[in-house]
Amino acid sequence: MALGKTLACVALTLASSSAFAADCAVEITGNDQMQYNTKAISVPKECKQFTVTLSHAGKLPNNVMGHNWVLSKAEDMQGVVSDAMAAGAAKHYMKENDARVIAATRMLGGGEKDSVRLDTAKLAAGAKYKFYCTFPGHSAMMNGELTLAQ
């Protein structure tokens, strides 16, 4: 009977650790109607790293209806978006080595998926962060707020 209890404890430990790992990741979906499926992400303070996976649920290619997921401080969003547009399609609407960008996925077309892992030490409790798409015109609708839970 002791073996059964041990196995039950091991199973509970594994289940709780995978549940904890799931708390340090989120999946976001973008579609051909220029929408993310969420407007808010809360990062648990216990997470040392946080993974965002972007899935493009649409059908259109990235040169027509591309989506990415970019994170910066809220006050940097407009500058990042403006510089991304200036970078153009050849650079996938992202300024190279933009220090204001905390994390970003690549530009995706319909049916594609990409993930980015961010170091939560780069986030400050109480600070305002925005996530958004830098494809021209998308950030007006495709944006949300990311917070570090306290």
Side-chain angles (χ1 to χ4, degrees):
M1 205 52 156
L3 180 60
K5 286 182 180 180
T6 302
L7 289 175
C9 286
V10 168
L12 282 172
T13 301
L14 289 174
S16 64
S17 66
S18 32
F20 178 75
D23 290 342
C24 292
V26 67
E27 185 159 334
I28 305 294
T29 303
N31 60 32
D32 286 341
Q33 290 72 44
M34 295 186 342
Q35 299 170 331
Y36 287 133
N37 66 331
T38 188
K39 290 281 190 185
I41 298 171
S42 179
V43 177
K45 65 181 176 185
E46 298 82 16
C47 297
K48 300 231 184 292
Q49 294 186 329
F50 190 79
T51 302
V52 175
T53 300
L54 174 65
S55 297
H56 191 321
K59 304 273 187 233
L60 297 171
N62 71 0
N63 65 330
V64 175
M65 186 59 68
H67 299 317
N68 60 1
W69 184 91
V70 178
L71 178 69
S72 70
K73 290 181 178 176
E75 65 265 21
D76 291 335
M77 178 181 161
Q78 194 52 53
V80 171
V81 169
S82 294
D83 288 345
M85 280 191 29
K91 295 189 179 176
H92 306 282
Y93 301 107
M94 280 297 295
K95 176 183 172 183
E96 289 184 53
N97 303 314
D98 192 333
R100 299 167 296 185
V101 174
I102 298 167
T105 66
R106 64 184 175 85
M107 190 65 67
L108 306 176
E112 294 182 316
K113 183 185 277 196
D114 191 29
S115 295
V116 64
R117 183 176 301 172
L118 63 112
D119 179 1
T120 58
K122 294 180 179 180
L123 304 176
K128 295 196 182 294
Y129 299 96
K130 293 289 281 187
F131 62 88
Y132 45 90
C133 176
T134 61
F135 193 92
H138 289 199
S139 64
M141 293 177 62
M142 295 185 79
N143 68 76
E145 189 173 306
L146 182 136
T147 56
L148 183 61
Q150 297 188 24

